[in-house]
Amino acid sequence: MLTKAPPDASVTDAPRIDARVSGQRMECRLDGQWTTQSVASVDDELRKLETQSDVKDIAIDLSGVSKMDTAGAWLVKRLATAQEARGATVTIEEG
């Protein structure tokens, strides 16, 4: 479960998402630490991307992720699964 706790001061490399849509293609570049202590800060933004219905091809670029635990991996998988259910092709690139 993700909680809306205050940001963890020990996380200096907060998770970030840079999502760009061009036509029916969306490219999502993820950066920072995607861990239990930090991913709540990007949960709302990811939920919006999960419901984006005008894309058919999605690339999720993990090359900027400095650290990921199962909470971060779960959010990436949730995005991919939601978009695949909408008929999109999703690729995950590790860089």
Short mmCIF file of all heavy atoms in Angstrom, two decimals, residues 3-36:
data_model
loop_
_atom_site.label_atom_id
_atom_site.label_comp_id
_atom_site.label_asym_id
_atom_site.label_seq_id
_atom_site.Cartn_x
_atom_site.Cartn_y
_atom_site.Cartn_z
N THR A 3 1.39 5.16 0.79
CA THR A 3 0.84 6.14 1.73
C THR A 3 1.31 7.53 1.35
O THR A 3 2.35 7.70 0.73
CB THR A 3 1.27 5.83 3.17
OG1 THR A 3 2.70 5.85 3.25
CG2 THR A 3 0.75 4.48 3.63
N LYS A 4 0.55 8.50 1.73
CA LYS A 4 0.90 9.89 1.45
C LYS A 4 1.66 10.49 2.63
O LYS A 4 1.29 11.48 3.22
CB LYS A 4 -0.37 10.71 1.19
CG LYS A 4 -1.16 10.22 0.01
CD LYS A 4 -0.48 10.54 -1.28
CE LYS A 4 -1.34 10.10 -2.44
NZ LYS A 4 -0.76 10.32 -3.71
N ALA A 5 2.74 9.84 3.00
CA ALA A 5 3.56 10.30 4.10
C ALA A 5 4.42 11.47 3.64
O ALA A 5 4.65 11.65 2.44
CB ALA A 5 4.45 9.16 4.59
N PRO A 6 4.92 12.25 4.58
CA PRO A 6 5.83 13.33 4.20
C PRO A 6 7.05 12.74 3.48
O PRO A 6 7.43 11.60 3.74
CB PRO A 6 6.25 13.95 5.53
CG PRO A 6 5.27 13.46 6.54
CD PRO A 6 4.70 12.18 6.01
N PRO A 7 7.65 13.49 2.58
CA PRO A 7 8.82 12.98 1.85
C PRO A 7 9.90 12.54 2.82
O PRO A 7 10.13 13.16 3.84
CB PRO A 7 9.29 14.19 1.03
CG PRO A 7 8.11 15.09 0.95
CD PRO A 7 7.30 14.85 2.19
N ASP A 8 10.55 11.44 2.48
CA ASP A 8 11.64 10.90 3.29
C ASP A 8 12.89 11.73 3.02
O ASP A 8 13.37 11.79 1.89
CB ASP A 8 11.86 9.43 2.91
CG ASP A 8 12.91 8.75 3.75
OD1 ASP A 8 13.67 9.44 4.46
OD2 ASP A 8 12.96 7.51 3.71
N ALA A 9 13.41 12.35 4.06
CA ALA A 9 14.58 13.22 3.90
C ALA A 9 15.81 12.44 3.44
O ALA A 9 16.73 13.02 2.88
CB ALA A 9 14.87 13.93 5.22
N SER A 10 15.81 11.12 3.65
CA SER A 10 16.97 10.33 3.24
C SER A 10 16.98 10.05 1.73
O SER A 10 17.97 9.62 1.19
CB SER A 10 17.02 9.01 4.01
OG SER A 10 15.93 8.19 3.65
N VAL A 11 15.86 10.29 1.07
CA VAL A 11 15.79 10.07 -0.38
C VAL A 11 16.17 11.37 -1.07
O VAL A 11 15.42 12.33 -1.08
CB VAL A 11 14.38 9.61 -0.82
CG1 VAL A 11 14.32 9.48 -2.33
CG2 VAL A 11 14.01 8.31 -0.15
N THR A 12 17.36 11.40 -1.62
CA THR A 12 17.84 12.62 -2.25
C THR A 12 17.60 12.62 -3.75
O THR A 12 17.75 13.63 -4.40
CB THR A 12 19.35 12.82 -1.99
OG1 THR A 12 20.04 11.67 -2.48
CG2 THR A 12 19.62 12.98 -0.50
N ASP A 13 17.24 11.47 -4.27
CA ASP A 13 17.03 11.32 -5.72
C ASP A 13 15.59 10.90 -5.95
O ASP A 13 15.30 9.75 -6.27
CB ASP A 13 18.03 10.29 -6.25
CG ASP A 13 18.09 10.23 -7.76
OD1 ASP A 13 17.61 11.19 -8.41
OD2 ASP A 13 18.60 9.24 -8.29
N ALA A 14 14.66 11.83 -5.75
CA ALA A 14 13.23 11.54 -5.82
C ALA A 14 12.84 11.01 -7.20
O ALA A 14 13.43 11.39 -8.21
CB ALA A 14 12.43 12.80 -5.50
N PRO A 15 11.82 10.15 -7.25
CA PRO A 15 11.37 9.62 -8.54
C PRO A 15 10.74 10.70 -9.39
O PRO A 15 10.08 11.61 -8.87
CB PRO A 15 10.35 8.54 -8.15
CG PRO A 15 9.85 8.95 -6.82
CD PRO A 15 11.00 9.65 -6.15
N ARG A 16 10.97 10.60 -10.69
CA ARG A 16 10.41 11.57 -11.64
C ARG A 16 9.93 10.83 -12.88
O ARG A 16 10.46 9.79 -13.23
CB ARG A 16 11.48 12.59 -12.04
CG ARG A 16 11.91 13.49 -10.91
CD ARG A 16 13.07 14.41 -11.31
NE ARG A 16 14.26 13.71 -11.82
CZ ARG A 16 15.15 13.06 -11.07
NH1 ARG A 16 15.00 12.99 -9.78
NH2 ARG A 16 16.21 12.49 -11.62
N ILE A 17 8.95 11.44 -13.55
CA ILE A 17 8.41 10.90 -14.80
C ILE A 17 8.42 12.01 -15.83
O ILE A 17 7.90 13.10 -15.58
CB ILE A 17 6.96 10.41 -14.64
CG1 ILE A 17 6.83 9.41 -13.51
CG2 ILE A 17 6.45 9.83 -15.96
CD1 ILE A 17 5.40 9.15 -13.11
N ASP A 18 8.99 11.73 -16.98
CA ASP A 18 8.91 12.65 -18.11
C ASP A 18 8.15 11.91 -19.20
O ASP A 18 8.71 11.01 -19.84
CB ASP A 18 10.31 13.04 -18.58
CG ASP A 18 10.27 14.00 -19.77
OD1 ASP A 18 9.22 14.63 -20.01
OD2 ASP A 18 11.30 14.09 -20.48
N ALA A 19 6.86 12.22 -19.36
CA ALA A 19 6.02 11.54 -20.35
C ALA A 19 5.74 12.49 -21.50
O ALA A 19 5.30 13.62 -21.29
CB ALA A 19 4.73 11.08 -19.71
N ARG A 20 5.99 12.00 -22.70
CA ARG A 20 5.76 12.80 -23.91
C ARG A 20 4.94 11.98 -24.90
O ARG A 20 5.24 10.82 -25.13
CB ARG A 20 7.08 13.21 -24.55
CG ARG A 20 7.91 14.07 -23.63
CD ARG A 20 9.32 14.25 -24.15
NE ARG A 20 10.14 14.86 -23.13
CZ ARG A 20 10.79 16.01 -23.30
NH1 ARG A 20 10.72 16.63 -24.44
NH2 ARG A 20 11.51 16.51 -22.32
N VAL A 21 3.93 12.63 -25.45
CA VAL A 21 3.06 11.96 -26.43
C VAL A 21 3.27 12.62 -27.78
O VAL A 21 3.26 13.85 -27.90
CB VAL A 21 1.58 12.05 -26.01
CG1 VAL A 21 0.68 11.43 -27.06
CG2 VAL A 21 1.37 11.38 -24.66
N SER A 22 3.47 11.80 -28.79
CA SER A 22 3.59 12.26 -30.16
C SER A 22 2.72 11.34 -31.01
O SER A 22 3.04 10.16 -31.18
CB SER A 22 5.05 12.20 -30.62
OG SER A 22 5.14 12.59 -31.98
N GLY A 23 1.61 11.87 -31.49
CA GLY A 23 0.66 11.04 -32.22
C GLY A 23 0.07 9.99 -31.30
O GLY A 23 -0.45 10.31 -30.25
N GLN A 24 0.24 8.73 -31.66
CA GLN A 24 -0.28 7.63 -30.84
C GLN A 24 0.83 6.94 -30.05
O GLN A 24 0.65 5.85 -29.53
CB GLN A 24 -1.01 6.62 -31.72
CG GLN A 24 -2.29 7.18 -32.30
CD GLN A 24 -3.07 6.11 -33.05
OE1 GLN A 24 -2.51 5.23 -33.68
NE2 GLN A 24 -4.38 6.21 -32.96
N ARG A 25 1.98 7.58 -29.94
CA ARG A 25 3.12 7.02 -29.20
C ARG A 25 3.38 7.85 -27.94
O ARG A 25 3.42 9.08 -27.99
CB ARG A 25 4.37 6.98 -30.07
CG ARG A 25 5.59 6.44 -29.34
CD ARG A 25 6.75 6.23 -30.28
NE ARG A 25 7.98 5.91 -29.59
CZ ARG A 25 8.31 4.71 -29.13
NH1 ARG A 25 7.47 3.70 -29.28
NH2 ARG A 25 9.45 4.50 -28.53
N MET A 26 3.57 7.15 -26.82
CA MET A 26 3.94 7.82 -25.58
C MET A 26 5.27 7.27 -25.11
O MET A 26 5.47 6.05 -25.08
CB MET A 26 2.88 7.59 -24.50
CG MET A 26 3.25 8.23 -23.16
SD MET A 26 1.89 8.31 -21.94
CE MET A 26 1.48 6.60 -21.71
N GLU A 27 6.18 8.18 -24.79
CA GLU A 27 7.47 7.79 -24.23
C GLU A 27 7.53 8.28 -22.80
O GLU A 27 7.31 9.48 -22.53
CB GLU A 27 8.61 8.38 -25.04
CG GLU A 27 8.67 7.83 -26.46
CD GLU A 27 9.82 8.39 -27.27
OE1 GLU A 27 10.61 9.19 -26.73
OE2 GLU A 27 9.90 8.03 -28.45
N CYS A 28 7.78 7.36 -21.88
CA CYS A 28 7.87 7.69 -20.46
C CYS A 28 9.28 7.40 -19.98
O CYS A 28 9.72 6.25 -19.99
CB CYS A 28 6.89 6.84 -19.64
SG CYS A 28 5.18 7.07 -20.05
N ARG A 29 9.99 8.44 -19.60
CA ARG A 29 11.32 8.25 -19.03
C ARG A 29 11.21 8.40 -17.52
O ARG A 29 10.72 9.42 -17.02
CB ARG A 29 12.30 9.27 -19.58
CG ARG A 29 13.68 9.12 -18.97
CD ARG A 29 14.70 10.07 -19.58
NE ARG A 29 15.88 10.16 -18.76
CZ ARG A 29 16.89 9.30 -18.79
NH1 ARG A 29 16.86 8.28 -19.59
NH2 ARG A 29 17.94 9.47 -18.01
N LEU A 30 11.64 7.37 -16.82
CA LEU A 30 11.61 7.38 -15.37
C LEU A 30 13.01 7.64 -14.84
O LEU A 30 13.98 7.08 -15.35
CB LEU A 30 11.09 6.05 -14.84
CG LEU A 30 9.79 5.52 -15.45
CD1 LEU A 30 9.36 4.24 -14.74
CD2 LEU A 30 8.69 6.55 -15.40
N ASP A 31 13.11 8.47 -13.83
CA ASP A 31 14.39 8.81 -13.22
C ASP A 31 14.28 8.73 -11.71
O ASP A 31 13.18 8.84 -11.15
CB ASP A 31 14.81 10.24 -13.60
CG ASP A 31 15.09 10.41 -15.08
OD1 ASP A 31 16.03 9.78 -15.57
OD2 ASP A 31 14.35 11.16 -15.73
N GLY A 32 15.42 8.63 -11.05
CA GLY A 32 15.47 8.69 -9.59
C GLY A 32 15.29 7.35 -8.92
O GLY A 32 15.38 6.29 -9.54
N GLN A 33 15.02 7.42 -7.62
CA GLN A 33 14.84 6.22 -6.80
C GLN A 33 13.36 5.86 -6.73
O GLN A 33 12.56 6.63 -6.21
CB GLN A 33 15.37 6.46 -5.39
CG GLN A 33 16.86 6.64 -5.32
CD GLN A 33 17.36 6.74 -3.89
OE1 GLN A 33 16.69 6.34 -2.95
NE2 GLN A 33 18.54 7.30 -3.73
N TRP A 34 13.02 4.69 -7.22
CA TRP A 34 11.65 4.18 -7.22
C TRP A 34 11.54 3.13 -6.12
O TRP A 34 11.60 1.93 -6.38
CB TRP A 34 11.30 3.63 -8.60
CG TRP A 34 11.07 4.74 -9.58
CD1 TRP A 34 11.99 5.61 -10.06
CD2 TRP A 34 9.83 5.12 -10.15
NE1 TRP A 34 11.41 6.51 -10.90
CE2 TRP A 34 10.07 6.23 -10.98
CE3 TRP A 34 8.54 4.63 -10.05
CZ2 TRP A 34 9.06 6.85 -11.70
CZ3 TRP A 34 7.53 5.24 -10.77
CH2 TRP A 34 7.80 6.35 -11.58
N THR A 35 11.40 3.61 -4.89
CA THR A 35 11.38 2.72 -3.73
C THR A 35 10.15 3.00 -2.87
O THR A 35 9.46 4.00 -3.05
CB THR A 35 12.64 2.93 -2.87
OG1 THR A 35 12.65 4.26 -2.36
CG2 THR A 35 13.92 2.65 -3.66
N THR A 36 9.91 2.08 -1.95
CA THR A 36 8.77 2.19 -1.04
C THR A 36 8.70 3.56 -0.37
O THR A 36 7.62 4.12 -0.20
CB THR A 36 8.85 1.08 0.03
OG1 THR A 36 8.90 -0.18 -0.63
CG2 THR A 36 7.68 1.12 0.97
#
